[in-house]
Amino acid sequence: MPPVEKLLGAAVNALGGSERPGQVRMARAVQDAIDREEHVAVQAGTGTGKSLAYLVPSIRHAMLSGSAVVVSTATIALQRQLVDRDLPRLAEALAPELPHPPTFAILKGRRNYLCRYKMTASWPEEEQDQLFDPREVSATGRMVQRIQEWAEETETGDRDELVPGVNDNAWRQFSVSARECLGAQKCPSGAECFAELARARAGEADIVVTNHSLLAIDTMEDFELLPEHDVVVVDEAHELVDRVTSVVTGELSEATVSLAVRRVGRLIEQQVADRLQEAAEDLKALLAAAPPGRVDDLPPVLGQTLALVRDAARACITALGPRGTGKDDAEAAGARKAAFTALDEVHDTAQRMLDAYGHAEEVDRAEVVWLDEGGGRFPPTLRIAPLTVAGMLREKLFGNRTVVLTSATLALGGTFDGLAAQWGLGRSGSDDASEWTGLDVGSPFDHPRSGILYVAKHLPPPGRDGLQDAYLDEIAELIEAAGGRTLGLFSSMRAAKAATEALRDRLDVPLLCQGDDSTMLLVKQFAEDEPTCLFGTLSLWQGVDVPGPSLRLVIIDRIPFPRPDDPLASARQRHVMAKGGNGFMAVAATHAALLLAQGAGRLLRAQTDKGVVAVLDPRLATARYAGFLRASLPPFWTTTDPGMVRAALKRLTAAGG
């Protein structure tokens, strides 16, 4: 088998690229980690070519070991890039050097595939139609019809291949979760199940591309979804903790309990089901009257209501009888499995919430419960999440396989330690850190020559009542100097909309705001019309890739700390403090540093790009934590002089780029 350097060289030559030192360093580091069966975290800036740097050693290992390598991403966009562009070209390039052409497959959660059985069997209704606006019901009905027509011709059953897409309400009528699935052996459609066929293809592939959520489910749950593997590459690894947290977050509301009641339906005696419905109504009344936010201490009435829900769900489970007796016909088996799944979720979540209390010390608390007030069609909902997923990840993900973690943003404050702690890996240099290493392979961009970091030190600290006039004036002056070409990243949608409304009539350039149209179309319009500006919030901080002269200025209105009333972030911060750590730095500052780095990373996307990242929040220059945040950003040339920055933008505009 050729060494990894030779394979990488062959790939780069075949694809018409040039060798990049950072890419070579990363490929060697990944290969060394695989050989030593140790973990590695690699920060690789935009333009490094990190996909090739981890795919080449991954393919080499798959060929040598006969075992698949799993590549996990946070976004559908990167999954599609890997499967539709990178891997086909790489497989063709490497085929002459390897025993056989590399193979690859994409694998998603079962909910993403059409369920043939559910299309033909009678199934308990997912939602109550009367909850919907009549126009929405009609639109969903048309989507349902499109799904049925598409089902006759699709070869994969993959939701993403249904264009245009459909809403969740329509799709849920033809899909099941892993817990609801009867299993290929029991299901009448098991032999032609789209999800099982996708899993079979993945089982024969060298590289299996999946997402962080499915990786988390496969890692945390008792059932296996991914094929057997001993190496995982986690791309967009800065998203891993949030995605895992989302997977293990439980929720309980009147809607989730009523769904269980509908599913158990005619399968048990009415009076047993009625008990659960009465508990659902008690829960609804209680949550409607309760204030939203963290529930640090269990009020007696909530404890009683949760116990009622738990016990009523247990009674329904008992009334359903033994699981998986094999005596049911397929349709009855599907209905029973759906009922068991919904009831188990209600029972286990209620019990989990009760178990979250009763600890003598804050340091002993493992989970936080909070009430989300909902809104629109969404009812008030109780949620529960772990205060840390570090232990889960250390045991379940890192315990028995080699893991490669990579992103353009991993070294926060100049060190990997912050994210490593969240992943459950020890701090570098400590006794428990011998199993992993961190490596920053840099970036092909010359940041000090290509970009300026401007901190508006002269502005007042940001207020709580929206954007101050001084901020609006600063934004207007910067955009005028840049001739438009601005991406405005705001800490809230309210701020983005307020800035848009205040500046549209004041500026002579087109100004788009997230929410005016689909984000994808807005970004396309922004990229194609150079003077256009685009304002928005969180998804734009990480989801915009606009190389060229359409983007010359990135404005960040304030340091993106979590909101003080964010239930999970505030609870995690308090928990770190109870254990003797610095809660603010471990949670709030780390969160802010990650987003700041991602936002600033929007500026330089190609070698010829130039421009300014303007942070209007003066705390980035004055606060005691400012050094940590700035050390998390690319090494731009830095200034606090507004006149100098406006002059630089005007020169860039006058030069035609």
Side-chain angles (χ1 to χ4, degrees), residues 98-398:
L98 298 171
H100 64 80
T103 56
F104 54 90
I106 189 168
L107 188 59
K108 305 175 183 178
R110 194 170 288 269
R111 272 281 190 200
N112 291 277
Y113 299 99
L114 198 70
C115 175
R116 291 187 185 273
Y117 166 66
K118 195 170 183 180
M119 289 201 67
T120 57
S122 173
W123 198 270
E125 60 178 315
E126 294 286 342
E127 303 283 357
Q128 292 173 305
D129 285 347
Q130 58 265 34
L131 291 176
F132 296 113
D133 180 284
R135 289 169 297 179
E136 191 167 342
V137 172
S138 176
T140 298
R142 290 192 294 272
M143 291 178 184
V144 165
Q145 185 175 354
R146 274 207 304 116
I147 295 171
Q148 292 170 328
E149 294 168 354
W150 172 74
E152 298 298 320
E153 59 188 45
T154 178
E155 296 181 0
T156 65
D158 185 338
R159 178 180 181 177
D160 289 332
E161 295 182 10
L162 177 58
V163 179
V166 297
N167 64 31
D168 289 344
N169 296 323
W171 184 256
R172 270 199 300 266
Q173 297 183 43
F174 302 102
S175 67
V176 297
S177 68
R179 290 182 178 278
E180 294 168 327
C181 177
L182 286 174
Q185 301 302 317
K186 295 181 180 179
C187 179
S189 303
E192 51 184 4
C193 170
F194 288 122
E196 289 296 325
L197 291 172
R199 191 164 183 262
R201 288 192 295 270
E204 298 173 355
D206 297 312
I207 303 294
V208 179
V209 179
T210 189
N211 56 68
H212 293 354
S213 296
L214 186 64
L215 177 67
I217 295 170
D218 179 77
T219 301
M220 306 294 173
E221 300 285 359
D222 294 332
F223 44 84
E224 291 184 356
L225 301 174
L226 296 169
E228 187 173 333
H229 58 281
D230 58 2
V231 174
V232 176
V233 177
V234 182
D235 202 342
E236 301 174 308
H238 62 278
E239 296 259 26
L240 181 62
V241 168
D242 285 347
R243 298 304 173 102
V244 172
T245 299
S246 179
V247 165
V248 296
T249 295
E251 62 179 52
L252 196 63
S253 69
E254 182 268 339
T256 58
V257 182
S258 292
L259 174 63
V261 173
R262 291 200 303 278
R263 286 191 172 180
V264 81
R266 303 182 186 90
L267 301 178
I268 63 174
E269 291 184 13
Q270 188 64 46
Q271 62 183 20
V272 182
D274 285 347
R275 275 184 59 194
L276 185 56
Q277 185 58 51
E278 290 167 5
E281 291 165 3
D282 288 348
L283 182 66
K284 177 181 180 181
L286 178 61
L287 298 187
R294 269 193 349 238
V295 186
D296 290 333
D297 299 303
L298 182 64
V301 65
L302 178 58
Q304 293 162 7
T305 305
L306 288 174
L308 281 174
V309 170
R310 176 200 61 194
D311 295 344
R314 169 51 63 190
C316 291
I317 292 169
T318 301
L320 269 175
R323 302 172 190 249
T325 60
K327 298 177 182 178
D328 301 314
D329 59 41
E331 188 166 313
R336 282 171 55 80
K337 187 67 180 286
F340 273 124
T341 300
L343 289 167
D344 284 342
E345 183 176 343
V346 168
H347 174 275
D348 294 351
T349 304
Q351 184 62 59
R352 181 179 165 190
M353 288 177 174
L354 289 167
D355 290 342
Y357 298 97
H359 303 291
E361 302 289 341
E362 172 63 31
V363 72
D364 298 322
R365 194 190 297 260
E367 301 203 278
V368 58
V369 178
W370 73 94
L371 176 60
D372 187 334
E373 63 184 337
R377 288 202 319 270
F378 300 100
T381 300
L382 270 181
R383 303 188 193 279
I384 182 168
L387 288 165
T388 174
V389 295
M392 297 180 198
L393 286 172
R394 183 176 181 85
E395 177 187 354
K396 303 286 190 177
L397 178 62
F398 296 103

Side-chain angles (χ1 to χ4, degrees), residues 1-14 19 24 27-28 31 56-57 60 90 93-94 96-98:
M1 180 71 65
V4 70
E5 292 87 353
K6 182 178 180 181
L7 291 176
L8 181 61
V12 170
N13 290 335
E19 185 176 286
V24 175
R28 287 173 178 158
Q31 185 62 60
V56 168
R60 184 178 186 275
L90 182 58
L94 293 184
E97 306 285 341
L98 298 171

